[in-house]
Amino acid sequence: MNSTIVITGDDKGLHINKNIYGHFSEHLGRCIYGGIWTGKDSKIPNVEGYRQDVLEALQRIKVPVLRWPGGCFADEYHWKDGIGPYEKRPSMINTHWGGVVENNHFGTHEFMRYCELLGAEPYINGNVGSGTVREMSEWVEYMTFDGDSPMSRERKTNGRDKPWKVKYFGVGNENWGCGGNMRPEYYADVYRQYQTYVRSYGENKVFKIACGTSGHDMYWTEVLMKQAGKFFNGLSMHNYTWFSEDGTWDNKLQATGLTERTWAIILTKAVEMDRLITAHSTIMDMYDPEKKVEMIVDEWGTWFKTEPGTNPGFLYQQNTICDALVAALHFHIFHKHADRVKMANIAQTVNVLQAVILTEGDKMVKTPTYHVFEMFTPHQDAQALSINVETGNWTTDGYTLPSVDASASKDKNGTIHISLVNLHPSEQQKITIDVRGLAVKGFGVKGKILAGNSLDQHNTFDNPENLVPQNFTGISSEGTKISVTLPARSVSMLEVK
Ligand code: AHR
């Protein structure tokens, strides 16, 4: 099959905010404990208690922003339990996630230091569901107040003299569900109350994020925009890619063992994100035509059945070439909506849901999703370019999808990056790309490609390099035209200079 892509010099002024490549790490399963944090006394090589292998892998993909401590966990987290000497930190039951005992060893200081090591902006999610206004207010004071106050004194006693910079602060999480089962009208008022006491001290200007919709609930967005819109800078949105034959949550598909039919279904569910963003943006536009309120997609990714033999409350799943395509398609959608979507956070960084990294004891693997994050780093903070993709569709069992999807950007040095996805489960695609009206010098093209040899190729602890990006050979160019053949089930990234 042949496809044609035309990229023009018209950059529409759309900036791809690097925070679209953000992450989410919750106290859930082995994301924090065993994934990010081992403690200093661990035999697993660590830097100040953070797993060294994971830290280095995350540094490589330039994590721009990290959301913490949840998720559902955020609305039962009491931050004061996570500061001070470890032996004095009280434990709690993590009721949402496996009922395990949380020792609170990873708290505010540990999170903020991790962000420093990563070079990532912290995004803290406060507790509305079971916390008080005072508790939330004091957390912000503890972290960001520069003068002398009860909270800043306590922070200093705990070893941190200077305040941290905390820009992003979420006022509750999924307050329509695990965060308090509230109605939108009620949450809108509660939001207005809580946010009043989330203060910007000194130079630290807090960017307030209200809890948004679960993908399909348009009414929630409408009420929030109408009743509280002038009190927030960002409105969140969560949407997961999942499927079960009987529509029940419990019978979701397993990450591995996909057929052409379930491959098509998962990709169909993934591209629904485009429609959802359009629908919510349209409502936001009614109340905020100047697009001052940013859409923050702070949870997205695949949600498969947990791996056999693992704690169902830990949400540990395998990650395959299909996840890699889901990630790439999401990034393309976020680029397209870059005027409204300014941050997105994959759920979740390590060992949970669509993780970029899996660990087992001292072993670590980078998942296919990780490789997409790495290949796509040049899109971070680049200008989105106008792109027109003419491609055929393919249909399996009533599910119809385009064969090829693409996105292009220009970085600050004028280098163009074109990311390409071949969604077809079995056929390669010949593509001609016409790069018009751009001052590219000499037209040197090179690329990387991640292509699955099956519908569920993945990496394992015994074979961690089973699926890794390869140099993309066979690219030819003439005049302004580039020709490539994309193997089935692949994600690639071209660099045009
Ligand atoms: O990411 C797992 C959970 O999914 C989060 O805790 C919650 O916000 C969402 O329902």
Side-chain angles (χ1 to χ4, degrees):
M1 232 189 268
N2 294 325
S3 305
T4 308
I5 296 175
V6 178
I7 297 166
T8 64
D10 162 23
D11 65 16
K12 295 192 294 182
L14 273 190
H15 166 244
I16 300 172
N17 195 313
K18 65 178 178 184
N19 289 342
I20 280 171
Y21 290 86
H23 283 249
F24 168 41
S25 294
E26 182 168 11
H27 287 240
L28 194 180
R30 296 184 300 111
C31 183
I32 302 291
Y33 301 105
I36 285 174
W37 176 255
T38 55
K40 291 179 192 143
D41 300 333
S42 171
K43 289 204 175 84
I44 297 174
N46 66 82
V47 177
E48 302 172 29
Y50 308 97
R51 270 188 87 116
Q52 188 177 352
D53 50 2
V54 173
L55 174 65
E56 286 172 359
L58 292 178
Q59 284 167 334
R60 225 177 132 71
I61 56 172
K62 303 185 174 141
V63 173
V65 60
L66 185 60
R67 177 174 181 243
W68 174 86
C72 294
F73 182 78
D75 279 285
E76 59 179 355
Y77 181 61
H78 300 284
W79 70 272
K80 287 189 183 174
D81 295 347
I83 55 171
Y86 291 146
E87 63 282 4
K88 291 205 174 138
R89 296 189 191 182
S91 296
M92 65 178 282
I93 304 167
N94 191 338
T95 56
H96 281 293
W97 307 120
V100 293
V101 174
E102 157 73 52
N103 64 14
N104 275 308
H105 282 194
F106 192 93
T108 304
H109 291 250
E110 290 74 18
F111 172 68
M112 296 303 285
R113 176 68 183 139
Y114 200 51
C115 288
E116 282 173 355
L117 291 170
L118 285 177
E121 285 262 7
Y123 168 9
I124 301 262
N125 213 117
N127 179 349
V128 166
S130 69
T132 63
V133 174
R134 177 176 180 175
E135 190 180 357
M136 185 178 286
S137 179
E138 288 185 340
W139 199 3
V140 175
E141 180 188 324
Y142 183 90
M143 292 186 288
T144 64
F145 187 63
D146 202 3
D148 183 41
S149 79
M151 290 302 114
S152 64
R153 253 175 267 142
E154 196 165 349
R155 183 190 71 230
K156 287 175 193 174
T157 307
N158 291 330
R160 172 79 188 193
D161 211 36
K162 277 193 180 314
W164 290 286
K165 185 174 160 281
V166 179
K167 180 172 176 189
Y168 298 107
F169 195 90
V171 181
N173 168 75
E174 296 196 350
N175 301 93
W176 37 264
C178 64
N181 287 305
M182 300 175 191
R183 293 170 303 111
E185 293 81 0
Y186 179 74
Y187 171 73
D189 278 344
V190 169
Y191 172 83
R192 289 168 64 125
Q193 179 194 7
Y194 273 65
Q195 69 78 36
T196 306
Y197 306 94
V198 172
R199 307 288 189 193
S200 288
Y201 294 109
E203 309 262 282
N204 191 71
K205 297 282 168 277
V206 181
F207 180 102
K208 298 173 188 174
I209 300 171
C211 159
T213 176
S214 68
H216 295 80
D217 184 353
M218 305 298 153
Y219 183 63
W220 183 278
T221 301
E222 166 109 44
V223 173
L224 262 288
M225 289 302 294
K226 193 167 164 183
Q227 294 189 8
K230 62 177 178 204
F231 298 101
F232 50 76
N233 309 100
L235 184 61
S236 75
M237 204 259 251
H238 292 178
N239 189 57
Y240 285 96
T241 300
W242 68 280
F243 176 74
S244 72
E245 294 293 351
D246 61 6
T248 62
W249 187 245
D250 286 346
N251 292 330
K252 292 184 292 298
L253 293 178
Q254 199 85 50
T256 50
L258 296 178
T259 61
E260 289 206 0
R261 176 173 172 276
T262 51
W263 166 275
I265 294 173
I266 290 297
L267 297 188
T268 302
K269 298 279 174 193
V271 297
E272 261 178 32
M273 180 59 93
D274 189 12
R275 197 174 49 75
L276 289 173
I277 293 176
T278 304
H280 291 288
S281 295
T282 308
I283 297 170
M284 291 172 81
D285 285 349
M286 279 161 43
Y287 298 93
D288 173 36
E290 289 170 26
K291 300 190 194 295
K292 286 188 183 147
V293 177
E294 300 183 2
M295 190 186 286
I296 308 290
V297 187
D298 54 16
E299 290 186 29
W300 67 270
T302 56
W303 196 317
F304 289 110
K305 201 179 187 115
T306 49
E307 285 297 296
T310 63
N311 185 332
F314 282 12
L315 311 186
Y316 179 81
Q317 63 191 40
Q318 196 34 278
N319 192 292
T320 73
I321 184 66
C322 183
D323 292 81
L325 267 78
V326 169
L329 292 170
H330 273 81
F331 291 137
H332 289 179
I333 293 165
F334 298 148
H335 295 176
K336 183 172 150 195
H337 294 280
D339 58 342
R340 183 66 91 174
V341 178
K342 305 288 182 180
M343 190 201 292
N345 309 72
I346 190 165
Q348 298 191 4
T349 313
V350 194
N351 290 331
V352 170
L353 299 175
Q354 192 178 346
V356 299
I357 291 171
L358 300 176
T359 67
E360 193 179 80
D362 62 356
K363 293 186 187 149
M364 177 196 92
V365 292
K366 296 171 178 168
T367 66
T369 300
Y370 175 94
H371 294 302
V372 173
F373 269 84
E374 187 174 16
M375 287 160 69
F376 280 35
T377 49
H379 281 317
Q380 289 193 17
D381 270 342
Q383 289 294 120
L385 296 173
S386 289
I387 186 163
N388 183 44
V389 183
E390 275 180 31
T391 183
N393 287 333
W394 57 278
T395 301
T396 299
D397 207 21
Y399 291 90
T400 300
L401 284 154
S403 301
V404 170
D405 193 63
S407 186
S409 70
K410 184 169 67 172
D411 70 15
K412 59 180 186 328
N413 303 316
T415 305
I416 295 163
H417 291 95
I418 308 166
S419 42
L420 302 160
V421 180
N422 180 357
L423 291 81
H424 203 286
S426 58
E427 286 176 19
Q428 64 178 28
Q429 308 291 324
K430 285 196 170 142
I431 306 189
T432 308
I433 307 169
D434 193 355
V435 185
R436 291 184 194 158
L438 289 157
V440 274
K441 309 157 221 148
F443 242 89
V445 190
K446 59 181 186 180
K448 288 269 181 203
I449 183 155
L450 187 75
N453 62 17
S454 67
L455 294 172
D456 66 354
Q457 193 182 353
H458 57 276
N459 297 323
T460 62
F461 297 107
D462 293 332
N463 193 0
E465 308 257 298
N466 186 37
L467 179 58
V468 292
Q470 308 292 332
N471 287 331
F472 198 169
T473 52
I475 307 171
S476 61
S477 64
E478 201 183 321
T480 62
K481 296 215 168 95
I482 304 165
S483 301
V484 287
T485 299
L486 298 181
R489 311 169 294 270
S490 66
V491 179
S492 50
M493 182 65 146
L494 306 185
E495 179 191 281
V496 185
K497 276 195 185 167

